[in-house]
């Protein structure tokens, strides 16, 4: 049987535009690329759902995805007018100062993402919330699509799988369930905690899938992938780039950025290292001692430049009320505002990320070609973390 290839895309909010750039460069070389398994979490779930629910060749779908990210604006993702933001701020102030009085309105998040739901409904060609394009693609060669959310009630990481044959699994604090994916699953998976509102799925409320997903590569492995092409949006800072020591108290955006990076970016790198180690252990065993385990090859792509530094250059493109809100968290007090890089939904910034993704991918195209064409070279699968 031919090895099954999976595409895994992690989170990072607006940084997911980088993934569109990576896919764009790959599509130029492989416009008919077959990706039988698609898995995504957080903002990566949006890109995953787009590829799974739209029709046409890989190159055609990627081109449309690129256009979506280039045409993005804050108003297409959230309500950023002054009146809406003031009302939200007033609700939070009343809630915090009232001791959780039942008379105080209960705010659900910092922003209203109704525009994002409308955008996804159109971009994913949804019909009353359902995504009929996924079923059509499953009949044409696609094997499985996995979108992960976090159940806020139990804290469990839930991977929702739509596939040709029902797939399910149970692991500590994470499960896989068979379902028909909808716009609500995508909204929930990409709902940045506190910033975006949670989404009701069945009888419980769900939020960003990156919160509890300690093994982002696991859905692809459970679905039978032999090779995984994973796209991270995390920049691996070298020791030379460590910021100078400062006695200044860290602004909220710096603390929030570290928390968001830990949730959405760091786990994919950690899981890649774990997979590399497990592969080494499996390969050291004879076939009869592997107990059904198999090595899973991984090629991990990630930015070669600091996306947060780039975001600081585009902050002035935000609508004024929204920019005022972000500056209140201290985005002007740090040179690398990680949190801003995830919520800067402006086409000028996302276009720059797309270009960065294309450039980084073209630089590694020989490796990517060897991986996609099935070459078995150990150097292709080294994550590099041991050398950082």
């Amino acid at each position: 049987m031919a090895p099954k290839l999976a595409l895994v895309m992690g989170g990072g909010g607006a940084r997911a535009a980088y993934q569109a750039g990576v896919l764009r460069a790959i599509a130029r070389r492989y416009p008919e690329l077959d990706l039988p398994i698609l898995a995504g979490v957080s903002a990566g779930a949006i890109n995953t759902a787009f590829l799974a629910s739209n029709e046409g060749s890989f190159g055609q779908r990627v081109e449309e995805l690129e256009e979506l990210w280039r045409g993005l604006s804050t108003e297409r993702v959230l309500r950023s007018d002054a009146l809406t933001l003031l009302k939200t701020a007033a609700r939070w102030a009343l809630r915090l100062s009232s001791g959780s009085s039942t008379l105080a309105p209960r705010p659900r998040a910092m922003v209203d993402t109704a525009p994002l739901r409308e955008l996804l409904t159109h971009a994913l060609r949804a019909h009353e919330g359902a995504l009929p394009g996924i079923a059509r693609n499953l009949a044409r060669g696609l094997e499985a699509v996995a979108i992960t959310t976090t159940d806020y009630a139990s804290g469990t990481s839930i991977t929702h799988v739509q596939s040709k044959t029902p797939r399910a699994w149970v692991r500590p604090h994470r499960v896989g369930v068979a379902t028909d994916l909808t716009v609500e699953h995508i909204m929930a998976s990409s709902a940045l905690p506190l910033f975006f509102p949670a989404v009701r799925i069945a009888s419980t409320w769900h939020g960003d899938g990156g919160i509890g997903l300690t093994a982002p590569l696991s859905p692809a492995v459970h679905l039978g992938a032999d090779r995984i092409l994973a796209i991270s949006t995390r920049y691996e800072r070298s020791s030379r780039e460590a910021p100078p020591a400062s006695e200044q108290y860290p602004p909220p955006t710096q603390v929030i950025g570290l928390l968001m990076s830990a949730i959405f970016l760091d786990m994919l790198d950690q899981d890649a290292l774990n997979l590399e180690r497990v592969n080494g252990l499996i390969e050291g065993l004879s076939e009869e001692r592997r107990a059904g385990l198999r090595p899973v090859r991984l090629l991990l792509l990630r930015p070669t430049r600091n996306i947060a530094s780039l975001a600081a250059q585009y902050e002035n493109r935000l609508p004024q009320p929204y920019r005022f809100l972000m500056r209140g968290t201290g985005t002007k007090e740090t040179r690398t505002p990680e949190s801003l890089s995830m919520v800067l939904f402006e086409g000028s910034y996302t276009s720059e990320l797309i270009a960065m993704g294309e450039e980084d991918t073209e630089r590694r195209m020989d490796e990517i070609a060897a991986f996609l064409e099935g070459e078995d070279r150990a150097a292709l699968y080294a994550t590099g973390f041991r050398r950082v």
Side-chain angles (χ1 to χ4, degrees):
M1 296 179 64
K4 290 184 182 179
L5 176 64
L7 175 64
V8 173
M9 290 183 278
R15 297 166 74 122
Y18 176 85
Q19 297 168 347
V22 171
L23 295 175
R24 177 63 175 147
I26 294 174
R28 278 199 297 269
R29 179 79 171 260
Y30 299 96
E32 302 296 332
L33 180 64
D34 183 25
L35 292 167
I37 300 171
L38 299 171
V41 61
S42 192
I46 294 176
N47 292 338
T48 297
F50 192 96
L51 294 178
S53 60
N54 284 278
E55 300 180 60
S57 68
F58 175 67
Q60 291 169 335
R61 286 176 287 158
V62 168
E63 185 175 351
E64 293 176 5
L65 178 62
E66 178 192 10
E67 291 174 1
L68 175 68
W69 281 106
R70 288 191 187 278
L72 204 62
S73 65
T74 302
E75 293 83 359
R76 298 187 72 191
V77 176
L78 53 92
R79 290 178 177 164
S80 58
D81 60 281
L83 181 59
T84 298
L85 294 178
L86 281 173
K87 285 182 178 179
T88 301
R91 290 192 188 101
W92 276 110
L94 185 58
R95 173 76 173 178
L96 294 172
S97 62
S98 66
S100 190
S101 169
T102 56
L103 298 178
R106 177 178 293 182
R108 292 186 172 181
M110 289 178 61
V111 297
D112 182 348
T113 54
L116 177 60
R117 179 176 278 101
E118 182 178 346
L119 174 65
L120 291 179
T121 298
H122 175 73
L124 303 180
R125 294 171 170 79
H127 178 67
E128 296 182 352
L131 303 177
I134 295 180
R136 288 194 291 269
N137 284 328
L138 286 172
R140 296 171 181 166
L142 181 65
E143 292 189 14
V145 186
I147 301 296
T148 302
T149 67
T150 300
D151 184 334
Y152 277 154
S154 65
T156 303
S157 177
I158 301 180
T159 298
H160 309 266
V161 180
Q162 185 169 349
S163 59
K164 289 182 177 179
T165 57
R167 301 291 185 95
W169 59 86
V170 178
R171 295 292 183 273
H173 309 295
R174 53 187 175 90
V175 300
V177 297
T179 189
D180 289 331
L181 293 170
T182 68
V183 170
E184 297 306 291
H185 290 95
I186 317 306
M187 288 289 295
S189 184
S190 56
L192 297 169
L194 295 180
F195 196 78
F196 284 6
V199 177
R200 192 178 184 90
I201 297 177
S203 60
T204 58
W205 292 92
H206 291 241
D208 200 296
I211 297 174
L213 186 58
T214 56
L217 300 173
S218 62
V221 175
H222 282 297
L223 293 172
D226 300 297
R227 290 176 173 250
I228 299 176
L229 178 65
I231 309 175
S232 170
T233 62
R234 181 182 186 273
Y235 171 68
E236 186 66 37
R237 182 184 294 175
S238 69
S239 58
R240 296 189 301 270
E241 297 174 286
S246 174
E247 296 183 358
Q248 180 182 358
Y249 193 83
T253 190
Q254 189 171 342
V255 178
I256 294 170
L258 289 173
L259 289 172
M260 295 176 79
S261 293
I263 294 172
F264 308 120
L265 309 181
D266 295 353
M267 283 296 100
L268 181 53
D269 285 356
Q270 183 62 45
D271 201 23
L273 176 56
N274 290 338
L275 182 62
E276 183 180 15
R277 289 171 171 167
V278 171
N279 282 340
L281 292 173
I282 294 174
E283 290 166 347
L285 299 174
S286 61
E287 287 290 340
E288 57 270 17
R289 296 184 62 191
R290 291 184 178 182
L293 298 176
R294 70 190 192 285
V296 178
R297 303 306 184 189
L298 168 70
L299 184 63
L300 176 64
L301 306 177
R302 55 180 181 239
T304 59
R305 286 183 284 159
N306 195 331
I307 291 180
S309 297
L310 177 67
Q313 303 172 28
Y314 286 90
E315 186 204 35
N316 60 356
R317 308 294 177 90
L318 291 171
Q320 187 173 3
Y322 186 52
R323 184 170 69 245
F324 182 80
L325 173 66
M326 295 309 300
R327 286 185 176 177
T329 67
T331 54
K332 300 297 287 184
E333 300 173 42
T334 175
R335 290 178 296 177
T336 55
E338 296 284 351
S339 59
L340 177 65
S341 72
M342 300 183 191
V343 297
L344 210 167
F345 303 105
E346 289 296 324
S348 53
Y349 168 66
T350 55
S351 294
E352 191 71 24
L353 292 183
I354 291 171
M356 185 189 299
E358 291 186 81
E359 180 182 334
D360 288 347
T361 306
E362 289 293 350
R363 192 179 294 116
R364 296 186 61 184
M365 188 55 74
D366 288 344
E367 292 176 70
I368 295 169
F371 179 81
L372 294 178
E373 292 170 15
E375 290 191 28
D376 196 7
R377 286 190 278 144
L380 289 175
Y381 317 125
T383 60
F385 295 116
R386 291 178 182 144
R387 299 186 294 275
V388 171

